[in-house]
Amino acid sequence: MELPELAARWMNALTATAYIPLSHAEIEQVLLDSLVELPESPESVANRLVSLHATGPDSLRATIEVLSPTFELPLLARLSSAYAQAMRMDAFDQQEQIKVAIVRAKQRVERTLKVSQARFREVFESAALGIVITDLGGRCVEANDTLAEIVGLESGADLNDRDLTDFYHPDDLAALGAQYRKVREGHLPRFRDQRKLIRADGEPVWVYLAVSLLRDADGEPTHHVTMVEDISELHLLQRSLDHQLLHDSLTGLSNRQHFVTQVERRAANDPITLYHLGLDAFSVVNNGLGHETGDKLLKIVAARLGKLAGEKKAVLARIGGDEFAMMTVSDNVTTTIEEIQEVLGEPTFVDDHGIALSASIGVVDRPPVFATTAELMRCANAALRQAKARGKRQWALHDPHDDARRRGRYALAASMPGAWEHGELEIVYAPVHDLETREVLGAVARLHWDDLSHNDTMALADSTGLSLPIGRWLLREACAQAARWVQEFGDRAPTLHIALGALQSRDEDLVADVKRALDETGLPPERLRISLDISSVLAGDDNAVVLHDSGIVTALDGFHGGHDELAVLTEVQVRSVITRAPAPSPDSPLYQAMRDLIATVHSFGVRFGVDEVHTLEDAEYWRSAGADAVIGLLPALSADEVTELLTAASQPPEAS
Amino acid sequence: MSERMSWVPEGVDTGKPSAARLYDYLLGGGHNFAADRMLAEKFLQAQPNARTIARLNRAFLRRAVLFMMDNGIRQFLDLGSGIPTVGNVHEIAQKADPEAHVVYVDFEEVAVAHSELILEQDPRATIIQEDMTKPDAVLKAAGESGLLDFTQPVGLLTVGVFHFVPPQADPQSIVAAYRDAVPAGSYLAFSQFTQDLQPEEMAGVVEVMKKSQNPMFPRTKTEIEGLFHGFELVEPGIVPSPLWHPEGTNTDDPDKAGIYAAVGRKA
């Protein structure tokens, strides 16, 4: 057989026995070369076959079958023997190679493992947290020294083989057991909890626990890891802080905040009665006998009320300097009030002073469930104010209707100082009209705030004690503005009218205030009219007289036409009186009376002005009755608006 | 620590057979251990034709790589490359063009260590240790290797691998992720066991492998078609491995090839 044909047959036989990663042509060429070389060196042919990877289980048999008719047996024997040797060497090479690979892989895994174990060791040993690994039965496999310290043992090794549950509080066993089981069964990835452990010496220690699960390579749970943080000190500190936050340091009673939360809790479930106690005349004790005595007395009161509260299962708190609050589940209010007064009234000897106390008490009984605790506290306080207003040793039941009224006014009064500070109070100027000439005689400076009239604003200011500073401010500001108008518009500037509130009218510094305002602003005195509240003159105050003597024109506001008022007009020299009354219709029987009154006033040389006249019709009635001037026909304007009007009026009139 | 803690995971375990070393043994390689050869014997009992199947599958890999080279592909991502054995991709590709780049991907420590040994001297080929069923991680590492340019067509190779990917791993989305990472003109070479050929023997093989670390999941032709979503199948489509672009006249029995093979081109 020709060698190329033999090579082709050999190739077909070999490729069926092994995968040779070459094209058929390439394989055939290699085999042809081998056939040429075979008689000389069967050993190198064997080596080539193995390096070609013609190494299938049947590769040698297929080779012998193809070659045996053409080549002698001794040659084929040498080939077989060399092939077997080459296979051995190849197998050794491969085994060597795979061994190196295995060693490398192992080294790498072990290195990674070592690094991670070293990291773990470091974390485990240096952690500020106690760490313990337990088997699924709860037995400690390994614990760190930090944990040992927490539970009062020498070292982590002391925990080995002990049950971690030995250190749990017996009350926690069931709950913790359930939690551990949930983690083990995969319902929870981990759990955290705050618990008490029992140290080796029996002392409790508060800890945070964080528990998770360890699994083996197949994912089966094998161990729990429990991290333990000692929070005892933190816990004690927290508790002490809590106590300080919730209790009054002098008496040890709950404070307002604590009381409120207790009321909140109780009111949600039961009908309650709230007592707000204010000790009567406690400031007398404090000021007269000293704060130390006052403090001692407060402690005694707290102890007595505490005893009473204990008997009545009531909640007691000190919620202010001399104020206490008590909450009972609804009871007989009068009986409780009597009991309170009884324990307080028992004479007490403090530093050799015998003192008997009483309290004023505001009561909120069975409030509606939807009332908030803040509302309840406010209602009780309002009732206490009412009780105090009636005198000592009084009590008052909260009346929701009365409360709403007061509250509106209180709220407004309470917001006034802030409003003034923020410049929300405005000065506006209302024109005064002469009824005869219909000319503007001047402008009344008035307060304007939040839809309230000047008089309401002043009355509110009186109730807050702000009326004096606000009045002074009004006086000064209005004078400054009037002075600017005089400077700019000369004679056409309006005369400034200022109506003072009742308190300011009687203020002993009034005259000095007025003079200072005039001096500082440069407003000529004849440009100012001060109207005083007539009550001040009636009360005998001499501000009107002194002002007049100082050359300042005055008026009396709030004139009603009474006998005493008419009498004052004969004694005090004023330019005018100002009244507020319904306009006297000529059909009205009062018309003649009003005409006569105005005539009488005129007879004293005093002009008659009317405030709050808003329609021309009313103005006409007043004119026919004899009045001289009215305020209110036109709305009050801001200072800027007045300036604009004056500027417009001073332009030459357009040709018409 | 002198003693390994009982809950620390195990490292390399040569006592457990691996599919990669089983394949090496069936191909006549020596990179295997007793445990691998014992599993191979059971495999051969269930499928006496296993050596031929392995040989035909390896031959398909060679033809597919050369086909891609003919179509201009010069970079390959071999997913689940296993133990380096006869006729590795970089050897085939670089014989045709020494500039060809190959990135092998396998997860098994020994296969990776072995591949590193083989590739130490080759700057154009490397192995990354990743799980080929996690395309994001594989693509990230492949990108970082610096050997693949994802703006140029890539030859994706999953040869004799997907029968280890269970249905619940969503093989379709795995293939899709690789497909989306490569530009149009890229190729996918794919082969895996099927129950369409010799169903009885296949069932036996599945049974043998069930308890191993590498259980097998044969797929029908239709199922394999689904994996080629987004690729155009190169003629003759999905066929028994010896029938795909045979070299010369095929003498092997396609019905006993056990494995379907196909190549697709990303449009």
Side-chain angles (χ1 to χ4, degrees):
Chain A
M1 196 187 295
E2 293 297 314
L3 287 187
E5 194 194 337
L6 192 59
R9 279 178 61 188
W10 193 8
M11 190 270 291
N12 282 330
L14 269 185
T15 52
T17 66
Y19 168 59
I20 299 168
L22 292 174
S23 69
H24 285 185
E26 287 168 327
I27 300 170
E28 221 172 298
Q29 186 56 53
V30 172
L31 293 180
L32 184 59
D33 294 346
S34 298
L35 286 176
V36 173
E37 196 178 8
L38 183 61
E40 291 301 315
S41 176
E43 288 77 13
S44 47
V45 173
N47 284 336
R48 188 170 304 138
L49 286 177
V50 171
S51 66
L52 265 185
H53 197 254
T55 52
D58 295 328
S59 297
L60 183 59
R61 187 175 52 78
T63 295
I64 301 298
E65 274 174 12
V66 171
L67 300 185
S68 59
T70 314
F71 295 94
E72 297 295 329
L73 190 59
L75 193 65
L76 294 181
R78 278 175 65 193
L79 175 68
S80 302
S81 164
Y83 180 87
Q85 179 60 18
M87 282 281 280
R88 264 166 60 88
M89 296 319 289
D90 185 50
F92 287 150
D93 285 348
Q94 291 190 46
Q95 290 288 323
E96 183 62 24
Q97 208 172 31
I98 192 80
K99 201 177 77 192
V100 173
I102 292 266
V103 169
R104 274 201 185 193
K106 277 204 162 197
Q107 278 173 345
R108 181 174 315 144
V109 169
E110 274 161 14
R111 202 161 45 233
T112 316
L113 215 57
K114 240 183 210 159
V115 169
S116 74
Q117 280 178 354
R119 278 191 206 134
F120 169 79
R121 251 312 108 188
E122 185 58 26
V123 170
F124 191 80
E125 280 165 3
S126 65
L129 292 176
I131 305 174
V132 58
I133 294 154
T134 49
D135 64 23
L136 295 181
R139 235 169 19 151
C140 299
V141 174
E142 187 158 18
N144 67 358
D145 291 350
T146 313
L147 181 68
E149 201 180 309
I150 292 173
V151 298
L153 293 174
E154 280 289 307
S155 83
D158 295 342
L159 277 145
N160 287 355
D161 289 334
R162 290 193 59 167
D163 261 344
L164 188 59
T165 51
D166 290 352
F167 299 96
Y168 292 153
H169 194 279
D171 292 348
D172 289 343
L173 275 179
L176 280 174
Q179 294 279 69
Y180 271 90
R181 194 161 51 245
K182 275 186 195 165
V183 171
R184 183 165 67 242
E185 288 169 2
H187 302 305
L188 277 178
R190 63 183 63 79
F191 77 85
R192 294 195 172 83
D193 213 341
Q194 187 178 328
R195 294 284 175 180
K196 222 189 290 184
L197 294 187
I198 305 298
R199 288 165 52 98
D201 57 13
E203 284 295 305
V205 51
W206 279 94
V207 294
Y208 272 130
L209 296 177
V211 178
S212 53
L213 192 65
L214 294 174
R215 297 172 186 277
D216 66 12
D218 299 326
E220 288 300 313
T222 58
H223 296 83
H224 282 117
V225 187
T226 304
M227 309 255 189
V228 182
E229 185 184 2
D230 183 352
I231 54 164
S232 292
E233 279 180 40
L234 205 63
H235 191 76
L236 288 177
L237 188 63
Q238 183 69 48
R239 286 234 316 233
S240 138
L241 275 179
D242 284 351
H243 193 267
Q244 281 177 36
L245 282 174
L246 297 175
H247 291 81
D248 168 43
S249 57
L250 177 66
T251 63
L253 296 181
S254 294
N255 61 13
R256 174 184 289 270
Q257 184 194 348
H258 194 208
F259 184 74
V260 163
T261 57
Q262 285 171 300
V263 170
E264 247 162 33
R265 211 173 302 145
R266 186 70 70 85
N269 304 315
D270 296 309
I272 60 161
T273 306
L274 204 59
Y275 300 87
H276 189 165
L277 285 65
L279 298 181
D280 292 325
F282 184 73
S283 58
V284 175
V285 177
N286 245 353
N287 296 335
L289 304 177
H291 284 279
E292 253 174 66
T293 307
D295 285 353
K296 283 179 187 167
L297 192 60
L298 283 172
K299 283 190 193 175
I300 292 169
V301 168
R304 289 189 188 170
L305 288 174
K307 187 158 170 280
L308 177 66
E311 286 164 11
K312 299 183 77 70
K313 297 212 165 75
V315 177
L316 179 70
R318 180 180 176 218
I319 61 173
D322 57 356
E323 294 181 11
F324 295 83
M326 195 163 93
M327 175 189 60
T328 59
V329 174
S330 277
D331 55 0
N332 185 320
V333 173
T334 48
T335 311
T336 304
I337 297 269
E338 274 165 28
E339 286 168 342
I340 292 172
Q341 298 294 14
E342 206 171 298
V343 300
L344 291 179
E346 198 178 308
T348 311
F349 286 88
V350 182
D351 301 338
D352 297 334
H353 304 284
I355 302 163
L357 282 171
S358 66
S360 301
I361 304 173
V363 182
V364 179
D365 191 30
R366 296 165 220 263
V369 282
F370 52 80
T372 68
T373 310
E375 273 173 340
L376 294 185
M377 296 299 285
R378 196 185 49 68
C379 291
N381 185 48
L384 172 62
R385 300 300 139 210
Q386 268 178 280
K388 284 212 166 194
R390 290 179 199 163
K392 290 183 182 180
R393 215 184 149 88
Q394 297 296 312
W395 66 279
L397 199 56
H398 166 69
D399 171 1
H401 300 293
D402 187 36
D403 181 58
R405 229 170 22 244
R406 280 165 202 278
R407 191 164 27 150
R409 204 178 141 79
Y410 278 147
L412 214 50
S415 62
M416 189 176 223
W420 186 39
E421 204 167 299
H422 290 109
E424 287 169 24
L425 267 66
E426 206 187 338
I427 301 172
V428 294
Y429 298 88
V432 183
H433 283 94
D434 187 304
L435 285 173
E436 207 54 52
T437 67
R438 300 189 167 218
E439 281 176 359
V440 173
L441 291 172
V444 189
R446 310 203 124 157
L447 289 175
H448 178 74
W449 177 49
D450 194 38
D451 290 339
L452 290 184
S453 74
H454 173 78
N455 290 329
D456 284 348
T457 308
M458 284 313 288
L460 208 54
D462 274 349
S463 78
T464 60
L466 269 183
S467 63
L468 280 180
I470 289 181
R472 284 185 195 125
W473 168 74
L474 172 68
L475 179 67
R476 216 199 106 77
E477 285 295 306
C479 283
Q481 180 61 55
R484 284 196 288 276
W485 283 329
V486 168
Q487 205 169 14
E488 196 168 342
F489 304 105
D491 287 346
R492 287 185 303 102
T495 302
L496 177 66
H497 297 239
I498 296 178
L500 304 179
L503 274 180
Q504 199 180 8
S505 297
R506 253 179 287 173
D507 181 18
E508 51 193 27
D509 294 331
L510 175 66
V511 178
D513 287 341
V514 171
K515 282 184 173 168
R516 196 179 312 127
L518 290 172
D519 284 351
E520 287 177 10
T521 62
L523 180 68
E526 68 272 16
R527 286 287 178 168
L528 179 64
R529 308 262 188 279
I530 296 283
S531 67
L532 300 162
D533 192 282
I534 200 166
S535 65
S536 66
V537 186
L538 292 176
D541 192 275
D542 61 356
N543 271 341
V545 177
V546 180
L547 280 174
H548 177 263
D549 292 349
S550 311
I552 291 162
V553 178
T554 54
L556 295 179
D557 197 340
F559 181 76
H560 291 104
H563 179 265
D564 50 349
E565 292 174 353
L566 287 172
V568 160
L569 292 187
T570 65
E571 294 159 13
V572 181
Q573 287 197 299
V574 296
R575 177 180 155 90
S576 53
V577 293
I578 298 159
T579 193
R580 283 169 201 79
S585 151
D587 312 330
S588 152
L590 289 175
Y591 180 71
Q592 190 56 45
M594 188 58 83
R595 270 186 72 98
D596 292 346
L597 174 64
I598 294 172
T600 307
V601 168
H602 281 164
S603 73
F604 297 140
V606 175
R607 287 164 60 84
F608 194 93
V610 189
D611 196 359
E612 296 177 8
V613 176
H614 298 304
T615 67
L616 284 172
E617 192 184 11
D618 284 353
E620 179 53 29
Y621 290 160
W622 282 114
R623 195 195 62 77
S624 73
D628 301 293
V630 292
I631 306 168
L633 271 184
L634 292 174
L637 302 174
S638 71
D640 288 347
E641 288 169 328
V642 173
T643 306
E644 258 173 55
L645 270 183
L646 290 168
T647 309
S650 65
Q651 305 293 326
E654 289 188 22
S656 55
Chain B
M1 262 188 321
S2 55
E3 192 181 25
R4 179 185 285 177
M5 292 174 67
S6 56
W7 46 273
V8 169
E10 298 292 314
V12 176
D13 187 352
T14 55
K16 286 182 182 167
S18 99
R21 295 193 294 264
L22 164 66
Y23 185 48
D24 174 71
Y25 174 71
L26 291 176
L27 282 173
H31 305 117
N32 44 70
F33 305 108
D36 305 315
R37 295 189 287 270
M38 269 172 63
L39 183 64
E41 289 311 319
K42 286 186 191 161
F43 198 107
L44 281 163
Q45 275 168 28
Q47 173 51 283
N49 211 29
R51 291 179 199 277
T52 305
I53 291 172
R55 173 170 62 80
L56 293 175
N57 185 56
R58 197 69 181 170
F60 161 70
L61 170 65
R62 176 172 171 276
R63 297 198 303 279
V65 168
L66 290 175
F67 171 84
M68 290 183 189
M69 294 288 291
D70 285 345
N71 284 279
I73 301 291
R74 287 297 179 272
Q75 48 180 0
F76 295 89
L77 183 59
D78 187 354
L79 300 165
S81 49
I83 294 277
T85 184
V86 54
N88 294 303
V89 174
H90 73 286
E91 291 160 357
I92 296 165
Q94 288 173 356
K95 192 175 164 199
D97 180 350
E99 292 297 316
H101 288 189
V102 180
V103 172
Y104 293 101
V105 179
D106 209 287
F107 197 51
E108 203 262 328
E109 276 92 358
V110 182
V112 171
H114 193 178
S115 302
E116 280 175 354
L117 281 176
I118 302 277
L119 301 175
E120 256 170 4
Q121 305 301 322
D122 189 337
R124 297 187 184 83
T126 191
I127 169 97
I128 55 184
Q129 185 170 12
E130 284 294 346
D131 182 347
M132 57 83 65
T133 64
K134 302 201 166 91
D136 290 347
V138 170
L139 289 164
K140 181 165 176 281
E144 285 164 0
S145 76
L147 290 182
L148 297 186
D149 175 0
F150 283 100
T151 66
Q152 297 298 315
V154 177
L156 297 170
L157 307 167
T158 68
V159 175
V161 166
F162 258 77
H163 41 236
F164 297 119
V165 179
Q168 56 268 30
D170 194 0
Q172 201 156 349
S173 77
I174 295 172
V175 177
Y178 288 113
R179 178 199 64 216
D180 292 345
V182 297
S186 295
Y187 285 88
L188 169 68
F190 179 102
S191 69
Q192 84 145 78
F193 271 98
T194 176
Q195 64 273 50
D196 291 358
L197 309 169
Q198 293 189 296
E200 215 169 294
E201 284 82 349
M202 189 68 244
V205 166
V206 168
E207 193 57 35
V208 166
M209 297 300 284
K210 193 182 266 176
K211 291 182 194 92
S212 78
Q213 284 183 301
N214 310 93
M216 288 176 71
F217 306 91
R219 291 193 168 81
T220 64
K221 193 178 205 170
T222 318
E223 285 173 322
I224 293 169
E225 264 165 11
L227 298 178
F228 272 91
H229 185 75
F231 290 95
E232 284 165 4
L233 283 171
V234 170
E235 284 301 316
I238 301 166
V239 292
S241 53
L243 296 186
W244 195 90
H245 294 215
E247 193 178 352
T249 6
N250 174 56
T251 50
D252 289 294
D253 182 355
D255 292 339
K256 292 184 181 171
I259 280 180
Y260 273 138
V263 172
R265 180 179 186 278
K266 183 177 175 180

